[in-house]
Amino acid sequence: MRPTRMLAATAAVVCLASALAGCVSVQGCPGWAGYETPDDAADSADAVVVGRVVEKVSTTDFNGASANIWSVEVADWLKGDGPNRIEVLSPPSACGSNTEPYLDEGDPLETATRHGAAALFLVGDDLDWRTISPVQGLVELTPDEQIPTEWPAP
C-alpha cells in the first residue's frame, strides 16, 4: 500500500473510532415497548394491581427528567403481592432537561386521580415500583370493574 493511502486509511479509522466513541457516551431516551393489549402488558409486568391513584407524593429524576411519584391504594394484587398502599413512579414521556416531561395529555397517573379504579402494570420491586411505560402503564377498568381487552381509543 502506498504511504499516502496508508495515511488516509489510518486517518479514516481514527475519525471513525472517534465518532463511534462519541456515540457511545451520549445517553438517549429509553425505548419503551408497545403492547398490543392490556393482557400483553400484564404478561410483561412484574406486578399488576387494581386500585386508585390517590395523590402525588414527590418527584425524582428519571433519565434526566423530572418524574412524579404517586401514592396508590391497592384493592387487589392480580400479579405479585404487597401492601395495600404503594408508591409508584410515573415515567416521563420525554427525557433530559425538558420543561414538559409528560407530553400530550400530561402525566397519566395524574389523570387517573380523576377517574375510578384502574389496573396498573408495574415493574420493579416492593421498594421501587414504576409503571411499565409512560403511555401503557395503566388502564381504567370497565364499568363492571374488569381490565378491558383492548386499549381505549386515543
Side-chain angles (χ1 to χ4, degrees):
M1 190 179 272
R2 292 185 177 164
T4 307
R5 284 189 180 171
M6 183 67 135
L7 182 60
T10 302
V13 168
V14 168
C15 288
L16 179 61
S18 296
L20 289 176
C23 290
V24 170
S25 67
V26 174
Q27 181 179 4
C29 290
W32 299 102
Y35 302 98
E36 296 236 358
T37 67
D39 280 344
D40 293 335
D43 288 344
S44 294
D46 294 332
V48 178
V49 299
V50 171
R52 294 185 191 286
V53 179
V54 180
E55 63 185 347
K56 183 167 81 170
V57 293
S58 66
T59 59
T60 191
D61 179 81
F62 186 83
N63 291 321
S66 180
N68 298 325
I69 298 175
W70 297 87
S71 176
V72 176
E73 265 182 23
V74 177
D76 194 14
W77 286 83
L78 302 179
K79 182 176 183 180
D81 190 27
N84 58 8
R85 186 175 281 261
I86 59 173
E87 290 185 359
V88 176
L89 182 139
S90 179
S93 309
C95 64
S97 57
N98 190 327
T99 57
E100 291 296 326
Y102 297 98
L103 306 177
D104 299 327
E105 295 181 25
D107 185 341
L109 272 68
E110 181 177 12
T111 303
T113 64
R114 298 187 290 271
H115 59 67
L120 286 84
F121 309 109
L122 307 174
V123 292
D125 57 44
D126 292 341
L127 302 175
D128 193 26
W129 291 118
R130 72 170 167 79
T131 59
I132 200 165
S133 84
V135 295
Q136 294 179 319
L138 84 156
V139 66
E140 190 172 358
L141 298 182
T142 62
D144 61 348
E145 298 193 358
Q146 300 297 310
I147 297 176
T149 57
E150 296 182 3
W151 296 108

